[in-house]
Amino acid sequence: MPEANPIDSSIQRRIFAGFTVAFAVLVVIATLSYFVFQKLIETNQLVKHTYKMLNELEATFSLVKSAETGQRGYLLTANIEYLKPYDLAVDSLPQQLARVKELTEDNLVQQSRLSLLEKHIANKLDDLKGTIQVRKNQGLAATQEIVVFGKGKTSMDAIRQLISDMQNEERDLLKHRETDVSTFLSRTVSLLVVGGLMQLVLFLGIYYLIKRDMAARQRAKQVLEEALAYTQTILETVREPLLVLDKDLRVKTANRSFFETFVVSKAKTERALLYELGDGQWNIPALRRLLEEIIPTHTEVRDFEVDTEFPHLGRRTMLLNARILYRPGNNTEMILLAIDDITERKKAEEALRARSIELEAINKELEAFSYSVSHDLRAPIRHIDGFVDLLQRHAASALDEKGVRYLKTISQSAKKMGRLIDDLLVFSRMGRSELYKTSVDLDQLVKEVLQDLLPDLQGRHIAWSVGALPVVWGDASMLRQAFVNLIANAVKYTRTRPEAVIEIGRGTGNDGEAVMFVRDNGVGFDMQYAHKLFGVFQRLHSVSDFEGTGIGLANVRRIIHRHGGRTWAEGTVNGGATFYFTLPVTEEAL
Amino acid sequence: MMAEVKRIVLAEDNPEDVELTLSALAEHNLINEVIVVSDGAEALDYLYARGKYARRMPGNPAVILLDLKMPKVDGLEVLRAIKKDDRLKTIPVVMLTSSREEPDLIESYELGVNAYVVKPVDFQRFIAAIKELGTFWAILNEPPPLVGRPHV
């Protein structure tokens, strides 16, 4: 699963949160509104109730009044017509009072008033009834007395008062309720307004977030497109053939190098099954195994070798790298195959190996050769010398001076040949044998060499000057040989000097190398022939002047070269000579 | 003092070398008893007193001068055989050879050779070397006591 764009998920979360809050607010608003409506309905009911009550009370009062009026009319006129409203009122009053009673069910105070009212009304009615009877029976004058002195008016007043009280009570109640409701309403309305505003803000916020989200997606898409273009350019420029396969091993894309290398067309390659490509050149069991079994478990395989016959190309060895790719955008798995034709490289490696083996064999031959030389050549030489010697003793008397000289020459030549062979063997060993490299303290080495040469220095006056020499990395015995040769030479070629001066020291060199020299004040040499100095068996002096085979410096050069150094010399005829050489130094010495 | 004649065994295949060596030995009167064998097989035959040498005088020689390069059985093989055998390993063995090759030196010493002498080309030096060898091993050096008679 590709990682979600972090911007995406935080925006999405915020949008979700926003919607949740908005929804919650909506629910709250709805609930509040419900309560508000309930309250309004309730209040409405109460108002209706109150007005109903007021009406009924008014109606009650009006009935009583109507009864009174009727009674009065009758009293005045004795017209029964006036009794109609009275009768009606009297008839209606119980029901009327009952209605009022119904309406006061919830109010104890009103109920007690009502009972009082009922009582007064009853009294009043009785009173009216009485007076009517009196009028009926005794005439007008009799009634006047009752009316003037009767309780009629007090009852009426009481009734009026009670009704007024009850009405006021209702009105008060109403007023209270109205205040309650209005406070409730104002609070609720403000809440609702706030809620509404919040909703508005929330929705604006959500809208803004959604816009941001979309912008982010747009940007991501653009980045992706640019990245794709970028990768595509890389793919096309890469020299290695590349293949992108989908999970079913069909080719999704191949780069230009692939088409060119395997000589296939784009049309034939894309969407084709890998194993069908180019006459099934990829239908190799090992490759099938790789792709179908190994890749799902390992997601990457490197350096998988495939050796097969390719049309247009012939038999080739290919090195494959395969890797699972996740293609951005549609979350599918793909396989990237990188192909490297290593046929040439393998051939070169083979050739190298063969050459190595050849060289090995040649080396072995050389070893055998020098072994044979060391044994087989020496023996006859020894015999020559030996038998010449025996001859000399045996036939000394039979030989004249010339004869003796001839024999001596033969003997000397044989000896010389022996020396030459020995020198050559040493020289060849210097070139053949393995360097056993260690840290070599040249100070110590030179001291030992001088010690060893002591016997040869008997009777010589030599002024030695040995400077501080570094520690180098090399073969100790070979380096010893080099110093022996150089110092022995110095000793030899200063033989003509009464006071020889031999200097061994270190010069200044480049980083990582030490320059050393052996200087003497001997017979020196002509710089014209300096290039011959280090040659094999090359000498610049005759054997009669200075003995030697001319192998010493050649050995020195060989040894130093094997250590990665250089050799050179400076000298003047009869003015001494200096022999320089360089050696790589160890870090400790620096 | 010597109880018996000190024998020198010279294993050398080259007749010229044999002649030169013998004359060198003769020059210093060390020729008392030099047994010359021309290859390694013969050398072993002598040491084990078998074959051609079945009826030789019993006892080990005072020293064996051994050349490296011999036909049939070479010097190193003879050396190995000698040093492996309890009855023979006390015999001093001197490698007398033309080869100064390091592998030969190493091998010989590892097998327990007593001395390794490279034959000098110069005859005078050769004589001197032989003399020194002979004088040391055949005269000066105390031979190891007899361990026992070799098999007949």
Side-chain angles (χ1 to χ4, degrees), chain A residues 534-554:
Chain A
F534 293 94
V536 178
F537 293 148
Q538 295 284 354
R539 305 193 77 234
L540 297 183
H541 298 87
S542 68
V543 173
S544 47
D545 293 338
F546 296 100
E547 71 287 4
T549 52
I551 200 81
L553 285 178

Side-chain angles (χ1 to χ4, degrees), chain A residues 274-284 311:
Chain A
L274 174 69
Y275 305 127
E276 293 163 357
L277 282 181
D279 311 331
Q281 65 193 4
W282 295 106
N283 193 3
I284 306 156

